[in-house]
Amino acid sequence: MPDNSLWYKDAVFYELYVRAYRDSNGNGHGDLGGVIEKLDYLQTLGVNCIWLLPTYPSPLKDDGYDIADYYNIHPDYGTLDDFKALVDAVHKRGMRIITDLVLNHTSDRHPWFQAARKNPESPYRDYYVWNDTDEKYQQARIIFLDVEESNWTWDEKAGQYYWHRFYKSQPDLNFDNPKVQEEMLSIAKFWLDLGVDGFRVDAVPYLFEREGTNCENLPETHAYMKKLRAFMEQHYPDRILLSEANGWPEDIQTYFGNGDEFHMAFHFPLMLHMYIALHKQSKSPLENIIARTPALSNNTQWCTFLRNHDELTLEMATEEDRQWMWQEYAPEPRMRQNLGIRRRLAPLLNNNRQKIELAFSLLFTLPGSPTLYYGDEIGMGDNIWLPDRNGVRTPMQWEDAPNGGFSKSNSPYAPVLDSEKYAPSRVNVTAQSDDPESLFNTIRQMIAVRSQHKAFSWGDFTWVEERNPAVAVFWRQNEAERLLILNNLSSNRESIKIKLPEENNKPQLLLGKLDYKSNKQKMVIEIEGYGYCWMKF
Ligand code: NOJ
């Protein structure tokens, strides 16, 4: 790989659920061989870093976020050799790959937990958090609200309660134990030695517990993450840490440390505010959240996204925004889960093609490195009748064929979508690849244009003062490269006037439609409902 330790600033990420992607051996589960088969596709799309959801051996009670062995691959997905083959194949294409690193908890099937519960004298007992009562840490909220009633569960064998922030089948590790800290460094080392380009670190805020706090974002957690970063900096300097910590931007920002903790962090509130802006047809939710987003140092970057494999979280929304989001985006109870919405991008936007494109235009033009969720690039739907978050994790739709071309098995791990709007006969990769006007080809084009212009990844961001509240107009500028971006959040055709900087010449249209009149000082642009326009001066 070329030596470019800031590669993540320019990257476009693609979140990929191996089990759902492509089944190469017909066992009904997607696998690593299947991902290798589809690398050409990903390269054509133009993404340059793949993020794999957990592929470790696991009882899959939380789709692999419940790990039973950190040093292996789930047999349904392949072997460590397959994993190495995948990493090599990705790197040969000049792409990168990051994986999920789940630090906070293991599966209750993990041998550590099995040993711990059986014997209070076992060295593994202290790998977990035990107590005689369930009364400690009462200020910690319950995350999987729909399912769990407490963060403590009684273990008959152990004769004590154990602590868990997620499902009761996911006991939390005790990070106060230095051995646990070391184990996790060894695990990171193992995967870094196999060549991964970094980690999306799961459930970051919850590593430590302290009485009298909400047990989130504690200073001890930052100290541990700085240790992991220092270790990577020393031995694997171009690999990254991406934080999964939900919160307001000023809180998430603490995970960047002084450029010595995480390289990247998901921008959860920007995601939420894009949906609010799209529905209210107003740029002000975006203005507010961007104003609240602190400037970053040179070696850190936001990771932006529209959807992922979880519910669209409303955890950190104000109560008013949360109720409004549920009402507007999740009118049926089955669409809701915990404090969120379990739907995919296309159904959230009523499968409105212009609106979906506009959402992607926002994603690709606002500051940060964008992440796409598998299937959203072809406008896949969801299945709200499946339990938990499974409805947004259905098989990738490759072609109009049985199982959408995902698998030759008669019993895929989950049913392929069969609704009128979203079944593979209507939504699939092959048909969209052949159609220059398809969503897939539009997204591909957006990524291509974005990749050619550093202003998107490195540039400053400046709002253009504009009276029309429906059109988000801004400059992105990097050195001499100056881009003007318009995203019309309104369903109506809008007209806007823009004062031009003195030395201006004619704009070059990069993407979208441009309909304008101008003189030396100003430009009057007409933009269609939900239209977007990227131009270069
Ligand atoms: C966050 C992951 O995104 C989610 O899928 C998982 O259930 C929890 N962390 C627990 O690991």
Side-chain angles (χ1 to χ4, degrees), residues 334-335 342-344 347 380-395 397 414-419 422:
R334 283 206 68 89
M335 296 171 172
R342 41 191 221 113
R343 303 184 76 191
R344 261 195 187 261
M380 256 172 69
D382 52 35
N383 180 352
I384 58 170
W385 301 103
L386 295 177
D388 201 339
R389 293 147 292 177
N390 299 1
V392 299
R393 302 176 183 180
T394 60
Q397 297 174 187
V416 176
L417 298 183
D418 64 357
S419 68
Y422 297 109

Side-chain angles (χ1 to χ4, degrees), residues 298-313:
N298 197 42
N299 67 344
T300 54
Q301 174 73 312
W302 294 108
C303 195
T304 54
F305 63 104
L306 292 163
R307 284 298 290 114
N308 64 21
H309 64 290
D310 288 327
E311 69 274 29
L312 188 171
T313 174

Side-chain angles (χ1 to χ4, degrees), residues 62 65 102 105 144 166 170 200 202-203 244 309-310 389 393:
D62 185 12
Y65 284 96
V102 184
H105 46 267
F144 286 166
F166 297 92
Q170 292 164 298
R200 176 263 193 196
D202 183 65
E244 191 232 357
H309 64 290
D310 288 327
R389 293 147 292 177
R393 302 176 183 180

Side-chain angles (χ1 to χ4, degrees), residues 471 486-488 492-495 525-529 531-533:
V471 191
L486 276 73
N487 289 302
N488 181 8
N492 301 320
R493 191 177 171 84
E494 301 283 340
S495 166
I525 306 179
E526 297 275 324
I527 182 158
E528 63 189 18
Y532 54 89
C533 176

Side-chain angles (χ1 to χ4, degrees), residues 107-263:
S107 158
D108 58 2
R109 302 283 101 212
H110 195 289
W112 297 341
F113 190 71
Q114 289 302 320
R117 61 199 288 247
K118 271 189 219 136
N119 177 5
E121 302 308 318
S122 157
Y124 294 110
R125 182 73 159 205
D126 196 35
Y127 271 39
Y128 295 89
V129 182
W130 301 94
N131 203 41
D132 291 334
T133 72
D134 58 358
E135 275 147 33
K136 255 173 135 182
Y137 312 136
Q138 287 303 310
Q139 289 177 43
R141 68 194 167 102
I142 295 166
I143 298 167
F144 286 166
L145 270 178
D146 289 359
V147 185
E148 299 296 347
E149 282 168 7
S150 167
N151 288 323
W152 291 107
T153 290
W154 175 256
D155 188 74
E156 212 41 74
K157 240 184 211 158
Q160 279 194 306
Y161 288 92
Y162 64 90
W163 179 250
H164 55 89
R165 295 311 302 269
F166 297 92
Y167 288 127
K168 55 168 74 65
S169 51
Q170 292 164 298
D172 271 38
L173 285 163
N174 173 19
F175 270 81
D176 278 319
N177 181 346
K179 289 223 178 83
V180 167
Q181 298 200 10
E182 275 165 38
E183 295 273 13
M184 288 302 160
L185 283 185
S186 308
I187 289 162
K189 178 173 187 312
F190 177 80
W191 293 96
L192 292 165
D193 286 340
L194 284 180
V196 301
D197 294 290
F199 302 110
R200 176 263 193 196
V201 185
D202 183 65
V204 176
Y206 316 108
L207 301 190
F208 288 82
E209 300 74 38
R210 290 292 177 263
E211 199 56 274
T213 73
N214 65 359
C215 298
E216 294 186 24
N217 310 320
L218 296 176
E220 292 82 352
T221 298
H222 290 288
Y224 181 68
M225 290 314 306
K226 286 196 163 109
K227 230 192 245 180
L228 176 54
R229 171 65 180 268
F231 168 76
M232 285 173 59
E233 218 44 62
Q234 194 182 353
H235 303 286
Y236 310 90
D238 56 350
R239 323 287 179 94
I240 63 159
L241 290 169
L242 161 58
S243 150
E244 191 232 357
N246 190 357
W248 290 104
E250 60 273 21
D251 299 327
I252 310 177
Q253 194 221 13
T254 58
Y255 283 103
F256 294 123
N258 293 315
D260 59 354
E261 204 174 321
F262 280 90
H263 302 76

Side-chain angles (χ1 to χ4, degrees), residues 34-51:
V35 180
I36 296 178
E37 277 179 27
K38 296 301 180 186
L39 289 178
D40 285 346
Y41 167 74
L42 292 169
Q43 203 166 18
T44 306
L45 177 60
V47 297
N48 34 35
C49 182
I50 305 169
W51 152 31

Side-chain angles (χ1 to χ4, degrees), residues 241-450:
L241 290 169
L242 161 58
S243 150
E244 191 232 357
N246 190 357
W248 290 104
E250 60 273 21
D251 299 327
I252 310 177
Q253 194 221 13
T254 58
Y255 283 103
F256 294 123
N258 293 315
D260 59 354
E261 204 174 321
F262 280 90
H263 302 76
M264 303 188 80
F266 285 114
H267 202 322
F268 282 93
L270 180 62
M271 176 278 298
L272 172 64
H273 286 79
M274 286 195 272
Y275 286 99
I276 301 179
L278 282 164
H279 202 76
K280 293 201 167 156
Q281 310 204 0
S282 158
K283 67 181 168 183
S284 73
L286 295 173
E287 284 176 328
N288 295 341
I289 202 66
I290 289 172
R292 237 180 126 164
T293 299
L296 295 182
S297 60
N298 197 42
N299 67 344
T300 54
Q301 174 73 312
W302 294 108
C303 195
T304 54
F305 63 104
L306 292 163
R307 284 298 290 114
N308 64 21
H309 64 290
D310 288 327
E311 69 274 29
L312 188 171
T313 174
L314 305 173
E315 273 174 351
M316 299 294 166
T318 61
E319 188 52 34
E320 192 190 339
D321 282 346
R322 184 183 305 145
Q323 294 303 334
W324 181 87
M325 282 290 293
W326 267 331
Q327 191 184 310
E328 302 301 327
Y329 280 108
E332 292 176 36
R334 283 206 68 89
M335 296 171 172
R336 302 178 185 184
Q337 182 172 31
N338 301 321
L339 291 182
I341 299 177
R342 41 191 221 113
R343 303 184 76 191
R344 261 195 187 261
L345 177 68
L348 279 167
L349 301 180
N350 292 325
N351 206 20
N352 179 321
R353 170 68 187 272
Q354 288 161 299
K355 248 181 144 167
I356 296 172
E357 279 187 31
L358 175 64
F360 276 108
S361 172
L362 285 173
L363 178 72
F364 290 130
T365 56
L366 291 171
S369 294
T371 301
L372 282 78
Y373 182 49
Y374 88 91
D376 282 348
E377 74 275 22
I378 54 168
M380 256 172 69
D382 52 35
N383 180 352
I384 58 170
W385 301 103
L386 295 177
D388 201 339
R389 293 147 292 177
N390 299 1
V392 299
R393 302 176 183 180
T394 60
M396 179 71 178
Q397 297 174 187
W398 296 104
E399 51 187 321
D400 180 7
N403 292 333
F406 153 74
S407 169
K408 295 222 155 50
S409 162
N410 292 328
S411 52
Y413 76 94
V416 176
L417 298 183
D418 64 357
S419 68
E420 204 187 309
K421 270 193 206 158
Y422 297 109
S425 53
R426 298 298 295 271
V427 178
N428 74 69
V429 167
T430 307
Q432 292 200 25
S433 300
D434 295 344
D435 172 5
E437 306 292 321
S438 68
L439 179 63
F440 168 78
N441 274 313
T442 306
I443 305 300
R444 195 173 63 83
Q445 180 73 23
M446 285 182 174
I447 297 176
V449 172
R450 188 189 147 95

